[in-house]
Amino acid sequence: MQEIVNIINGYIWSPYLIYLCLGTGVFFSILTRFVQIRHFREMFRLLLSGKSSEKGISSFQALAVSLSGRVGTGNIAGVAAAIGFGGPGAVFWMWVVAFLGAATAYIESTNAQIYKEEEDGQYRGGPAYYIEKALGQKWYAWIFALATILACGVLLPVVQSNGIGDAMVNVFGGGGTVNSFMGDLPLTKVYSAVFIVLLLGFIIFGGVKRIANFTQVVVPFMALAYIIIACSIIALHIDQLPGIFMLIITDAFTPMAGFGAAIGWGVKRGVYSNEAGQGTGPHAAAAAEVDHPAQQGLVQAFSVYIDTLFVCSATAFMILITNSYNVMPEGSTSFIVKNLASDVVISGPAFTQIAVDSVLTGFGKPFIAIALFFFAFTTVLAYYFIAENNVSYINKTIKMPILRFILKLVLMSAVFYGTVAKPSAAWGLGDIGVGLMAWLNIIGIIAIFFMAKPAIKALKDYERQQKAGVKTYTFDPKSLEITNADFWEKRLEERNKK
């Protein structure tokens, strides 16, 4: 099984995808004239503005839902894996992916807003919707929708719940074992899996609003607590921080684990963490209630900064500043750097737990376990939200409401499996999901640009209104020669009647 997963990942995460992710970010940064820099202040203003409605969630709630998808196991265990397999230089390439990915996030999230639809009293949208409407290629939209359901409903949740299970074992031990078809499983993981599945079922059967309400409280609170702990640890070693910066930067270009390992793991874990270009963030963006599509695009661009430049960097600094890491290139059997015991799992949350525990003795392991639980759990909720959006897209054609119920059961089963599975199997399946969506989404948004340039036109329109000092922004797709933006055409007609 593991060998098959590794072979598939070898094809999906070839150097071509890594360079495509970076190239797409450069491409859209230039086209938007580096929107991620020019509109930084506007991003922050929009973050706190806007209200929800009966049909849509607020900009902040949409940010919370998308952040719940971005801030997860990748920020704690993923950063550790990037350092462990690619060396400290991998962190630099995560930063590069975040900076360039902010422009990609603007493009895909604005497209999601432009082509969103109102279904069953809720706003829905995402790559499948904008691929069909902007490209007119329904077959490709269906491929993306099915791939997203597979990735977010089965493959990606496995990674998140696996991080929780491993963190709990690091805190409480195995607690004995129970025999199953998967072999002997630690009871701690089994109990954790049952609890997670029951809580997950309670929330996802309550609908999108319950997910948004839960994540808007939990995500900011846990992210803030995590950042405070990280900053405290960094402050206690502040004299070492300049050296850590130099280590990251120099190792990015003269990497101890090899250039391919550093850039490969940096880009892979960067894309996994901040999701820019992956096609998951646009689903939450489409659900937001805004006056202009560009507004939500800017908010989602800012979320990439929060995820990688804040949370991922905090994790990396904690690990590196306390020397709580080993480096062993993937496929190798010898350590390049060995600060910890040989049996510490590189692909799990152990590096981060050890880093915190080295300063706050007895506190690190349980704190990271709690943080990882909330980060990973809210990410699973975001994955359900994304998968359900794509089930709704498919349901427009085949009319099978029971598919949503089936999705819930499949997701809960995947979460149970992920909690008790081995980290190597879980991360392998997750990487397949991320890579598959990234290939399909990036190809789609590049094609959309060449055909219609909708997000670029929306940005210029927003900047024009911003310069004119309007109090209430409006969006007229017809005047911008954007077709099939039915939702916005209808909204403009209703406003004109008033």
Side-chain angles (χ1 to χ4, degrees):
M1 171 66 176
Q2 184 63 45
E3 187 176 343
I4 295 173
V5 169
N6 291 339
I7 292 173
I8 295 173
N9 265 322
Y11 285 107
I12 292 179
W13 280 102
S14 67
Y16 297 110
L17 180 57
I18 291 171
Y19 297 136
L20 182 61
C21 289
L22 292 173
T24 301
V26 172
F27 183 59
F28 287 127
S29 293
I30 294 172
L31 288 175
T32 60
R33 293 171 293 129
F34 289 89
V35 64
Q36 64 267 55
I37 298 175
R38 295 189 300 110
H39 286 296
F40 186 83
R41 182 182 295 180
E42 181 70 0
M43 292 176 190
F44 193 77
R45 185 190 72 80
L46 290 170
L47 175 64
L48 303 177
S49 66
K51 297 180 180 180
S52 62
S53 67
E54 293 182 358
K55 301 172 184 177
I57 57 180
S58 69
S59 289
F60 183 78
Q61 286 177 318
L63 176 73
V65 172
S66 62
L67 273 177
S68 67
R70 290 186 167 104
V71 179
T73 301
N75 299 79
I76 296 176
V79 173
I83 294 172
F85 290 122
V91 178
F92 174 84
W93 294 106
M94 292 184 74
W95 291 342
V96 171
V97 168
F99 175 73
L100 298 176
T104 306
Y106 166 80
I107 293 290
E108 60 184 4
S109 296
T110 302
N111 281 339
Q113 265 288 328
I114 291 172
Y115 297 108
K116 71 181 181 181
E117 295 180 2
E118 182 184 328
E119 298 175 14
D120 304 322
Q122 297 178 355
Y123 295 150
R124 296 191 182 276
Y129 290 81
Y130 62 63
I131 288 171
E132 178 185 342
K133 292 189 173 186
L135 288 177
Q137 303 294 329
K138 191 171 183 177
W139 65 272
Y140 192 77
W142 262 71
I143 290 175
F144 186 91
L146 293 172
T148 303
I149 294 169
L150 173 63
C152 293
V154 180
L155 301 176
L156 296 175
V158 168
V159 177
Q160 303 300 326
S161 58
N162 183 261
I164 298 175
D166 276 358
M168 293 302 174
V169 169
N170 288 340
V171 175
F172 301 110
T177 60
V178 59
N179 187 262
S180 74
F181 71 94
M182 296 174 62
D184 292 335
L185 302 176
L187 280 172
T188 300
K189 282 194 170 187
V190 176
Y191 294 147
S192 299
V194 172
F195 175 75
I196 295 168
V197 167
L198 290 176
L199 182 60
L200 177 64
F202 171 75
I203 296 178
I204 64 177
F205 277 97
V208 173
K209 287 284 187 178
R210 186 177 291 178
I211 294 173
N213 291 333
F214 183 82
T215 55
Q216 76 171 342
V217 174
V218 172
V219 173
F221 174 77
M222 281 310 305
L224 181 61
Y226 187 76
I227 292 294
I228 289 174
I229 293 295
C231 289
S232 299
I233 292 174
I234 294 168
L236 292 173
H237 301 81
I238 194 67
D239 59 313
Q240 299 179 37
L241 192 58
I244 295 301
F245 266 113
M246 289 304 300
L247 173 64
I248 291 172
I249 294 171
T250 55
D251 191 53
F253 300 98
T254 56
M256 60 180 66
F259 183 73
I263 190 172
W265 277 95
V267 173
K268 184 188 293 187
R269 288 293 167 253
V271 172
Y272 189 97
S273 179
N274 63 52
E275 300 186 354
Q278 184 181 325
T280 49
H283 297 87
E289 182 70 75
V290 292
D291 294 324
H292 194 286
Q295 292 176 324
Q296 189 55 208
L298 292 172
V299 169
Q300 294 300 323
F302 187 75
S303 73
V304 175
Y305 287 153
I306 296 174
D307 171 84
T308 304
L309 298 187
F310 289 174
V311 184
C312 284
S313 294
T315 300
F317 288 147
M318 281 196 296
I319 291 173
L320 295 174
I321 213 166
T322 59
N323 287 318
S324 301
Y325 67 99
N326 296 331
V327 178
M328 178 189 288
E330 194 173 20
S332 175
T333 57
S334 59
F335 290 98
I336 295 177
V337 176
K338 188 173 182 293
N339 298 314
L340 307 173
S342 301
D343 61 349
V344 175
V345 179
I346 290 179
S347 58
F351 285 5
T352 315
Q353 288 180 304
I354 293 170
V356 178
D357 213 56
S358 68
V359 177
L360 304 170
T361 306
F363 179 74
K365 289 183 178 180
F367 173 75
I368 294 301
I370 293 171
L372 191 57
F373 170 80
F374 283 109
F375 285 168
F377 184 77
T378 52
T379 299
V380 173
L381 292 178
Y383 287 155
Y384 168 75
F385 172 79
I386 293 164
E388 188 197 48
N389 263 278
N390 286 275
V391 167
S392 295
Y393 173 78
I394 288 173
N395 257 335
K396 292 196 305 178
T397 301
I398 63 177
K399 309 294 183 184
M400 291 179 62
I402 196 174
L403 289 178
R404 286 197 183 94
F405 180 75
I406 294 174
L407 171 64
K408 291 179 173 70
L409 296 182
V410 170
L411 178 72
M412 293 165 69
S413 300
V415 166
F416 188 94
Y417 167 77
T419 308
V420 301
K422 293 181 178 180
S424 57
W427 279 98
L429 292 172
D431 285 342
I432 291 175
V434 173
L436 184 63
M437 291 183 63
W439 270 112
L440 294 172
N441 182 56
I442 289 176
I443 291 171
I445 57 180
I446 290 176
I448 285 173
F449 169 78
F450 284 118
M451 292 187 68
K453 310 179 184 178
I456 304 295
K457 291 181 178 180
L459 178 62
K460 292 180 179 179
D461 180 61
Y462 186 76
E463 290 172 338
R464 178 185 59 77
Q465 295 184 52
Q466 187 181 39
K467 188 175 181 180
V470 300
K471 294 183 178 180
T472 302
Y473 289 88
T474 59
F475 182 67
D476 182 2
K478 287 185 177 179
S479 68
L480 299 175
E481 298 182 350
I482 296 176
T483 59
N484 296 323
D486 303 326
F487 170 84
W488 291 98
E489 290 178 11
K490 182 179 178 182
R491 168 175 281 192
L492 190 63
E493 289 176 4
E494 291 174 350
R495 285 184 176 181
N496 291 336
K497 289 180 181 178
K498 294 179 181 179

